[in-house]
Amino acid sequence: MLIRKAADLTYAEVTPKAVYLNRRKFLQAMGVAGAAAVAGRRLIELAVPGRSALAATKFSDLVKSPFSTSEKQNSFQDVTHYNNFYEFGTDKSDPAKNAQKFDTSNWVVSVEGDVAKPRKFTMDEILKIAPLEERIYRHRCVEAWSIVVPWIGFSFGNLVKLVEPAPKAQFVAFQSYYDPRQMPKGRWAGIEFPYVEGLRMDEAMNPLTLLCLGMYGESLPNQDGAPVRLVIPWKYGFKSIKSLVKIKFQSKMPPTTWNLAAPNEYGFYSNVNPNVDHPRWSQAKERRLGEIFKRNTLMFNGYGDQVAGMYSGMDLKKYY
Ligand code: MTE
């Protein structure tokens, strides 16, 4: 898998788009011995010590998703420099600065709980679960800004089927990586770590729920949740947990970080809902990064056709 030790290369240097568009030229230019094939997909991969097996990986042969929006995408610069990743600091610009040395090599995701086949997945194993798709989703943060991002991954349900959950598994609990030595800023973030999140089983199995490995054609930058995160486009952004290390199937509704921090402000469901205001601000409108005028926020962030049925009969003011 690993091709060449390249301690001197930075992430930016190994992924310039003009270079990797021409694979052969790229390999010659970098003096790289070859390209790796994973699950029939062509990957160009460089081994950069201290980075994940996926670092500096350009994905090719991506399947186009019918779930993609045709709305204008935000720039890579926007999406990688305006982040919430409190383990690396609470300012929007902190993760881009402070996550650069985050070591995501030898990453393992443990899948456990009420399942017939608990197991630990390496990143190479996760890559082989299903064909990688490009999904261009609207992403609406609870702070009333939004972005449009070409994520890369596959429906989380593909992983779920491999571990065979028991009927009593009604919920899925998710946990992020946390290492105070690598994430010293986390101490002042004001929330508890590791970051935890949860979904009801039907939400987890909804095809829109994306197990995300990349964006803009390449592996996830550290500040966006490398090497693997969730993206749940009809929920506020904080449900989309980053740098996943544990997935647990269980009968009880799991605790979630923001609900633990402020239960009157953040509920378990956290579906995007312009009709239910946050106690301290309106959710009726949002500002798309890069735009001046606010736009109306859509119920379920515009994904109602695919998800509204899961909440029929539920009072979404009570279950916020
Ligand atoms: N995951 C972890 N582990 N830590 C975090 O602080 N922030 C959440 C979510 N996932 C967060 C996290 C919030 S509040 C948002 S809005 C999204 O990540 C932001 O994702 P983005 O930076 O890729 O836009």
Side-chain angles (χ1 to χ4, degrees), residues 83-87 139 141 176 195 224 229 237-238 240 242:
N83 298 103
N84 279 331
F85 199 166
Y86 274 32
E87 290 86 333
H139 186 60
C141 182
S176 289
Y195 197 96
D224 286 274
R229 68 177 293 176
F238 64 85
S240 294
K242 294 178 168 179

Side-chain angles (χ1 to χ4, degrees), residues 213-231:
L213 303 162
M215 56 188 224
Y216 296 90
E218 56 196 49
S219 50
L220 278 172
N222 288 344
Q223 63 266 41
D224 286 274
V228 57
R229 68 177 293 176
L230 282 188
V231 180

Side-chain angles (χ1 to χ4, degrees), residues 36-157:
V38 174
R41 280 188 297 275
R42 284 179 295 117
L43 297 178
I44 297 170
E45 188 177 345
L46 293 170
V48 182
R51 304 244 185 229
S52 94
L54 284 179
T57 296
K58 163 76 181 165
F59 296 111
S60 60
D61 305 331
L62 297 173
V63 179
K64 295 262 174 252
S65 168
F67 299 128
S68 286
T69 172
S70 56
E71 282 171 50
K72 186 171 177 278
Q73 295 171 26
N74 281 91
S75 68
F76 182 81
Q77 174 71 18
D78 275 355
V79 175
T80 54
H81 290 79
Y82 195 84
N83 298 103
N84 279 331
F85 199 166
Y86 274 32
E87 290 86 333
F88 292 106
T90 55
D91 282 354
K92 297 286 179 281
S93 57
D94 280 344
K97 283 187 297 215
N98 301 331
Q100 287 314 310
K101 292 200 178 122
F102 179 31
D103 182 1
T104 58
S105 55
N106 305 314
W107 198 267
V108 173
V109 180
S110 174
V111 187
E112 51 196 73
D114 298 329
V115 293
K117 295 181 172 168
R119 62 180 274 196
K120 292 182 178 9
F121 290 88
T122 64
M123 287 312 297
D124 281 347
E125 288 168 336
I126 291 177
L127 268 168
K128 289 176 192 156
I129 290 176
L132 290 185
E133 296 171 30
E134 178 172 78
R135 297 245 187 118
I136 307 165
Y137 279 163
R138 287 180 293 276
H139 186 60
R140 167 63 157 83
C141 182
V142 77
E143 298 159 325
W145 51 270
S146 65
I147 44 181
V148 173
V149 186
W151 303 109
I152 296 166
F154 51 79
S155 296
F156 178 66

